[in-house]
Amino acid sequence: MTDIVYLEKSIREHARCNEILRRLPRARVIEIEHHGEVFNPKAQNFRLQKLNPALVLAEKHGNFVLPAPIGYAIGGQNNYYFSHMLNCLYDCRYCFLQGMYRSAHQTIFINYEDFASAIEQTCATHGDEPVWFFSGYDCDSLAYEPVTRFIDFHLPAFERISNAHLEIRTKSTQIRQLLKHKPNPRVVVAFSFTDEATHRYSEHQVPSIDKRIDAMVKLAEAGWSLGLRFDPLIHHASFEAGFNDLLQRIFARVPTQQIHSVALGVFRMPKQNFKTIHRLYPEDKLVNQPFEVRNGMYSYPEDIETTMFSFCESALLTYIDPSQYFPCRW
Amino acid sequence: MQIWMCALHCEAKPIIDFYRLKKASSSAFDCYLGENQICVVSGIGLVSMSAATAWASNLLKQEQTASWINLGIAGHAQLDIGRYVLASQVTLQDSQRAIYPVPLIRHEFELLPVSTLLQPSTEYREDCLFDMEAYGFAQTASRFSPLELCQCLKVISDNQQTSLNRDKQYISDLIAPNIPAITEYAEQLDRLAQQLPRKNSLPDQLNRFLALAHFTRSQQILLEKMLVALIPDPSSAEPLFDSVKGFASSDQIIHHLKQQLHDWSLHLSARDIE
């Protein structure tokens, strides 16, 4: 549990801050002027902070909703993301957040109402067209839900906007709040998976594959639309057997009719982020894999990437309909 | 390696005694050395502390990241004499700029801001401690180690009821009773520093490989990076060295090591997974 909370002085009386602090009774609170003071300094070590990250409570000013990166889509034409939180509870060695931020502290922007207004305004600019919002880009959407109650706040907001669609992307099993709500057909709860060997090697603190499948089954039984995200795919000596095993375990239990979408993407990372991660973890196997730089991204050589993609695609399409499948090529 | 930075000898003495540090012959600053500890006495004030901290960094081996502790006295309006405080924030008098020494270790000390003054003052405040060195220490030490490993630990020596007693024995006696808690904290900080990987490959190992052929500067950098991963400890060096010593050129050695690295990285073995 969080030991330290950095709190922006200007929001110390905010009701949501008080609620969050009540959920962390043992945390020591350090007041700050602006979250950048603790989040941005150069002389920090992400790897060390990841051992015991602090929580930063802050207010976001502007840029609540941003266009989603290219390839970040599950069938919609209008795609946006929003980040009520920066950083993730989990510690996955392939994650670009390690190379993007100087700090591993979890920052929560507590002005949820401003996010909701921005989402509503964005939807209004698209008339009746469906607009997709992705909430798990800079964080795990659900992992910190017991503290943030962000999804709890936003589900009713999304229900009110008739053309708003939401993807909640997660590796967590924190579904209790979701199960309290009536399923919304415009909300997809998408679970990310890698094969067992990659999960055990590189996804630290992430719930086991079976526990995540359990969570999916419970949500499916409650009527929620589900997503599967096999992104990033990590290459290793027994990758193909591992991927097949993963698919078998998932589709043996999760009903395919509840699957809204399945996305697939091979590991790729912006050059600068990768270099930062290599500096942080020079001895780690994942950062020493045979990557090459293509179009400013570290990724596998084209032949390996193509082989991985076609193998996974073929394997997947034995379980799902092509209309459910969304490859993420870059 | 752990470095203790104190302004006064009487602040350093309990640490010197506890670790049985030996005085080093140095002219710039009083310095005491042990197996894994260095204690430097800077003299009073921000500039002295900055200079001594920069000077102490030269005593470190390049490949390891050190942890740093600024141990000293401070004043506060209300806190009891002898109370221990870890700095949650360090500011310089009249400056807006703040440094946050990231507290990753669980501890029992108070956690409060420290404001570093350029001149002593008895205008005590309740929201922060006054000292005369912490800002110089934090700003300089964080050039050499991350802020998580640069901590300021202060003992309250004066407050509104009790003016500062400059007696050396009095100051040493404020620190000495808390040596168990202080050194326990220091050990945890040192363990934290050891979680970081070596900054460079082991110099002896690198030199052995470099002696096998002529390496360009960029090949040397690449070689060094690969050896950090391929030789996690000296015992793994020999088989790797044997595998390349027959090669005649640096290109061949680099190519072979790259292959080794990639093969290794693609096998997520049972040992990794456990």
Side-chain angles (χ1 to χ4, degrees):
Chain A
M1 195 43 90
T2 307
D3 289 333
I4 301 288
V5 176
Y6 290 106
L7 169 68
E8 283 185 357
K9 282 178 188 164
S10 60
I11 54 167
R12 67 179 151 204
E13 303 302 333
H14 195 291
R16 193 163 289 118
C17 276
N18 292 327
E19 274 172 39
I20 291 173
L21 291 174
R22 266 201 299 277
R23 290 180 201 122
L24 304 167
R26 288 187 194 162
R28 303 201 206 189
V29 178
I30 299 172
E31 291 198 349
I32 54 176
E33 294 295 334
H34 185 264
H35 69 276
E37 287 177 303
V38 291
F39 202 74
N40 296 337
K42 269 188 188 170
Q44 305 190 77
N45 188 286
F46 193 99
R47 180 172 178 164
L48 286 181
Q49 285 189 10
K50 207 67 191 162
L51 298 171
N52 188 12
L55 179 66
V56 182
L57 296 178
E59 184 175 16
K60 192 168 170 70
H61 305 278
N63 292 329
F64 296 102
V65 170
L66 294 164
I70 295 164
Y72 213 85
I74 42 172
Q77 294 302 309
N78 310 306
N79 300 296
Y80 296 89
Y81 76 96
F82 60 93
S83 301
H84 70 291
M85 199 170 160
L86 307 178
N87 276 322
C88 177
L89 277 189
Y90 307 131
D91 187 14
C92 301
R93 197 57 63 244
Y94 52 72
C95 179
F96 75 102
L97 293 175
Q98 304 165 105
M100 194 156 92
Y101 299 133
R102 288 175 179 154
S103 170
H105 296 330
Q106 279 133 29
T107 300
I108 301 173
F109 297 114
I110 52 93
N111 44 330
Y112 298 173
E113 292 76 7
D114 293 329
F115 283 95
S117 302
I119 287 165
E120 199 166 352
Q121 282 163 23
T122 306
C123 286
T125 64
H126 290 284
D128 291 333
E129 289 176 31
V131 186
W132 277 91
F133 294 89
F134 296 86
S135 74
Y137 189 68
D138 290 321
C139 64
D140 185 293
S141 301
L142 282 185
Y144 220 40
E145 187 62 12
V147 172
T148 65
R149 303 286 161 91
F150 180 79
I151 295 300
D152 203 29
F153 170 88
H154 266 283
L155 284 178
F158 270 84
E159 216 160 293
R160 285 193 298 271
I161 313 168
S162 61
N163 61 335
H165 295 247
L166 172 66
E167 185 207 72
I168 298 170
R169 190 175 291 201
T170 190
K171 286 196 190 95
S172 93
T173 54
Q174 294 288 353
I175 56 169
R176 198 179 305 163
Q177 294 299 326
L178 270 177
L179 290 172
K180 286 181 186 166
H181 291 265
K182 204 175 84 190
N184 178 342
R186 287 181 283 107
V187 174
V188 175
V189 189
F191 286 78
S192 295
F193 288 96
T194 59
D195 65 276
E196 185 76 48
T198 307
H199 162 65
R200 289 206 186 191
Y201 183 76
S202 64
E203 295 180 339
H204 309 289
Q205 284 106 49
V206 174
S208 72
I209 290 172
D210 289 332
K211 283 191 174 151
R212 277 176 278 163
I213 294 173
D214 288 343
M216 289 187 83
V217 170
K218 282 181 193 155
L219 288 169
E221 283 167 355
W224 285 90
S225 289
L226 300 172
L228 284 166
R229 306 291 176 254
F230 302 108
D231 187 1
L233 297 170
I234 301 291
H235 186 47
H236 60 87
S238 51
F239 162 73
E240 295 184 354
F243 191 72
N244 274 334
D245 168 69
L246 177 63
L247 293 187
Q248 277 168 20
R249 286 160 69 182
I250 292 171
F251 289 108
R253 299 189 52 210
V254 179
T256 47
Q257 68 273 17
Q258 289 300 117
I259 304 277
H260 167 274
S261 50
V262 181
L264 201 67
V266 177
F267 174 87
R268 70 276 178 204
M269 187 178 290
K271 197 173 162 184
Q272 203 46 52
N273 292 4
F274 184 85
K275 283 184 167 183
T276 304
I277 296 171
H278 198 291
R279 270 198 299 276
L280 286 169
Y281 300 93
E283 80 292 11
D284 193 276
K285 288 191 172 187
L286 277 189
V287 303
N288 284 294
Q289 288 208 321
F291 298 122
E292 61 179 31
V293 181
R294 276 189 284 133
N295 307 324
M297 300 282 245
Y298 268 86
S299 57
Y300 294 109
E302 222 158 351
D303 57 332
I304 295 181
E305 186 179 297
T306 307
T307 310
M308 288 171 77
F309 224 111
S310 12
F311 171 81
C312 295
E313 202 166 65
S314 311
L316 252 182
L317 291 173
T318 63
Y319 292 97
I320 58 163
D321 188 85
S323 64
Q324 294 169 295
Y325 171 56
F326 298 94
C328 188
R329 295 184 195 274
W330 52 282
Chain B
M1 184 57 78
Q2 189 148 57
I3 306 187
W4 298 82
M5 298 297 305
C6 301
L8 303 168
H9 186 273
C10 54
E11 291 169 330
K13 190 171 182 303
I15 294 298
I16 295 166
D17 291 346
F18 180 82
Y19 290 113
R20 299 182 180 180
L21 306 181
K22 302 278 177 262
K23 188 162 189 192
S25 53
S26 82
S27 53
F29 295 96
D30 276 354
C31 174
Y32 299 82
L33 303 175
E35 203 176 317
N36 191 43
Q37 313 281 336
I38 297 172
C39 183
V40 176
V41 180
S42 67
I44 293 173
L46 174 129
V47 173
S48 299
M49 179 54 79
S50 291
T53 306
W55 178 84
S57 73
N58 281 316
L59 304 172
L60 297 170
K61 287 182 188 163
Q62 287 302 306
E63 66 268 19
Q64 283 291 352
T65 304
S67 59
W68 300 72
I69 297 175
N70 167 216
L71 178 65
I73 54 171
H76 186 269
Q78 299 293 342
L79 286 179
D80 293 339
I81 304 296
R83 270 300 260 292
Y84 267 81
V85 176
L86 198 70
S88 60
Q89 179 203 60
V90 182
T91 50
L92 180 60
Q93 174 186 6
D94 301 331
S95 157
Q96 293 295 311
R97 185 130 188 245
I99 299 173
Y100 292 87
V102 186
L104 295 185
I105 296 169
R106 294 201 172 110
H107 57 83
E108 291 172 4
F109 307 120
E110 294 268 352
L111 200 55
L112 286 171
V114 173
S115 177
T116 297
L117 305 181
L118 300 175
Q119 295 293 331
S121 168
T122 51
E123 304 287 313
Y124 298 108
R125 282 168 52 179
E126 292 194 7
D127 60 346
C128 71
L129 277 66
F130 282 163
D131 92 326
M132 295 187 70
E133 289 86 23
Y135 191 83
F137 163 80
Q139 196 182 43
T140 310
S142 61
R143 297 242 170 200
F144 308 108
S145 289
L147 273 167
E148 295 79 10
L149 300 175
C150 305
Q151 301 293 334
C152 301
L153 192 51
K154 300 287 168 183
V155 59
I156 303 298
S157 58
D158 48 307
N159 58 25
Q160 269 165 353
Q161 286 76 44
T162 315
S163 60
L164 176 60
N165 181 345
R166 292 182 191 278
D167 179 72
K168 290 174 187 171
Q169 192 59 48
Y170 171 78
I171 293 172
S172 288
D173 287 349
L174 283 177
I175 293 173
N178 284 291
I179 279 293
I182 295 169
T183 53
E184 162 63 23
Y185 177 79
E187 278 165 29
Q188 287 192 60
L189 198 65
D190 193 41
R191 281 198 291 275
L192 194 63
Q194 286 167 25
Q195 302 250 355
L196 287 179
R198 293 195 316 270
K199 287 181 190 166
N200 312 95
S201 59
L202 297 166
D204 295 349
Q205 301 302 341
L206 177 65
N207 289 337
R208 285 178 79 196
F209 282 82
L210 288 175
L212 291 171
H214 172 73
F215 289 83
T216 65
R217 184 65 194 129
S218 60
Q219 282 178 327
Q220 286 179 29
I221 293 168
L222 183 59
L223 177 68
E224 191 158 10
K225 276 187 184 171
M226 290 194 290
L227 293 185
V228 168
L230 288 170
I231 310 181
D233 55 72
S235 67
S236 51
E238 218 47 49
L240 191 69
F241 186 73
D242 287 345
S243 74
V244 297
K245 66 183 178 193
F247 294 123
S249 74
S250 55
D251 279 343
Q252 285 176 313
I253 295 171
I254 293 282
H255 178 76
H256 177 78
L257 291 179
K258 250 188 199 171
Q259 202 54 54
Q260 294 267 318
L261 189 65
H262 293 162
D263 288 350
W264 167 77
S265 70
L266 292 173
H267 283 84
L268 305 182
S269 67
R271 206 176 120 206
D272 295 325
I273 292 169
E274 286 315 309

